[in-house]
Amino acid sequence: MVLQAALVDSHCHLDFDDFAEDREAVLARARAAGVEHLLIAAVTPSHWSRVQALAAEQAGIWAAAGVHPNEDPASTPELEVLLDALAAPKVVATGETGLDYFRSEGDLSWQRRRFALHIAAARQSRKPLIVHTRAAAADTLELLRSEGARDVGGVIHCFTEDWDFARAAMDLGFYISLSGIVTFKKSTELQEVAKKIPADRLLIETDAPYLAPVPQRGRRNEPAYVVHVAEFLAQLRREDPQALVAQTYTNFFRCFPAAGVAA
Ligand SMILES: [Zn+2]
Ligand SMILES: [Zn+2]
């Protein structure tokens, strides 16, 4: 099936060295697949300028600034430095940020402090949050609530939590973004959650180069493959694929208003 409606990949890492050899070809394939907009989430301060440069090169590429929860504790920026990065052209979101207790060990209070710092920066800059959460559901919701994330909202990216979490996040004004994980055979619980997410709260992403969706599973992921996430979800939710794509496109600009202004 060829989708006619324009797509958005709401979360990818096109700045990674995985794409060093063929980034232009990857972008050309994304365009050919109908991906009109994509958002590059930053994971480390040393890549912020690279992400911004990629966004500056082409229409439809958007940037974020933030530090991934699993990055070294020493890479936590000062608030002023993060705010500076968030003020750069085409930076529309704060992230990625969040909590990941799966891949870090020991006392993780530094992760919580860093997440709180990002929430404060998002509120000040009015650039919504891109939240990564893994094995840390209760603390993630607790911090979103206590630090006032409702004021700015954002997205729970690469969503893998349960329905209670989805509902709590949506109550705080967050969108739910599904990745290739939802297409995996074993993701039956996630698929049940995906059926229930209201259409006006749904985003789709690749998280490329990770997590390529079926039927590309196991390969390096790339933004063009977001079409497979869309097609799978349309079938799962018994929705018209064009309508689902159009809705997620609209949702992206509602979630990240700065992208709409500068588009
Ligand atoms: Zn993530
Ligand atoms: Zn990511």
Side-chain angles (χ1 to χ4, degrees):
M1 177 182 20
V2 178
L3 288 166
Q4 259 108 55
L7 289 140
V8 179
D9 180 358
S10 68
H11 188 111
C12 65
H13 299 287
L14 212 59
D15 55 314
F16 282 14
D17 288 341
D18 305 69
F19 299 107
E21 300 292 315
D22 63 345
R23 193 171 284 110
E24 272 177 39
V26 167
L27 270 168
R29 283 196 292 274
R31 300 303 187 200
V35 180
E36 216 170 75
H37 293 270
L38 55 89
L39 173 53
I40 308 177
V43 299
T44 180
S46 66
H47 270 225
W48 289 351
S49 58
R50 197 194 279 203
V51 172
Q52 287 165 21
L54 285 168
E57 265 171 34
Q58 280 192 31
I61 301 182
W62 305 100
V67 185
H68 190 284
N70 294 124
E71 285 292 302
D72 190 79
S75 58
T76 302
E78 296 293 330
L79 178 63
E80 294 306 318
V81 175
L82 179 53
L83 285 170
D84 263 3
L86 289 168
K90 296 194 82 176
V91 175
V92 300
T94 307
E96 60 184 286
T97 179
L99 299 174
D100 189 325
Y101 296 169
F102 185 78
R103 282 187 291 174
S104 296
E105 289 184 331
D107 175 11
L108 299 178
S109 51
W110 59 269
Q111 267 197 18
R112 290 187 286 278
R113 280 195 300 276
R114 181 193 282 174
F115 187 25
L117 173 96
H118 279 78
I119 297 171
R123 293 177 60 186
Q124 277 189 50
S125 64
R126 311 304 307 164
K127 303 283 168 76
L129 291 152
I130 300 170
V131 176
H132 169 114
T133 183
R134 190 163 181 201
D139 283 2
T140 298
L141 287 173
E142 156 64 23
L143 274 166
L144 288 174
R145 287 196 187 104
S146 64
E147 301 301 316
R150 184 197 293 271
D151 285 355
V152 63
V155 61
I156 310 296
H157 109 85
C158 201
F159 189 85
T160 53
E161 302 296 327
D162 61 13
W163 174 242
D164 284 345
F165 187 107
R167 213 167 37 185
M170 289 187 286
D171 284 347
L172 290 167
F174 278 74
Y175 289 76
I176 306 295
S177 181
L178 294 167
S179 69
I181 292 179
V182 77
T183 71
F184 299 170
K185 222 178 184 155
K186 280 197 294 190
S187 300
T188 50
E189 285 173 36
L190 180 60
Q191 287 160 7
E192 289 310 307
V193 176
K195 283 183 194 170
K196 291 199 270 187
I197 295 166
D200 64 355
R201 287 276 140 190
L202 190 65
L203 293 175
I204 51 175
E205 66 173 75
T206 60
D207 206 9
Y210 310 119
L211 301 166
V214 173
Q216 305 289 350
R217 192 170 181 187
R219 304 179 61 181
R220 180 189 67 172
N221 200 359
E222 59 178 70
Y225 298 166
V226 77
V227 68
H228 301 301
V229 179
E231 286 172 349
F232 180 89
L233 279 174
Q235 203 166 32
L236 179 74
R237 291 161 59 90
R238 301 179 189 280
E239 289 173 358
D240 169 38
Q242 313 290 351
L244 181 136
V245 166
Q247 178 76 60
T248 53
Y249 187 94
T250 301
N251 294 346
F252 177 78
F253 293 100
R254 286 197 184 130
C255 182
F256 300 110
V261 172

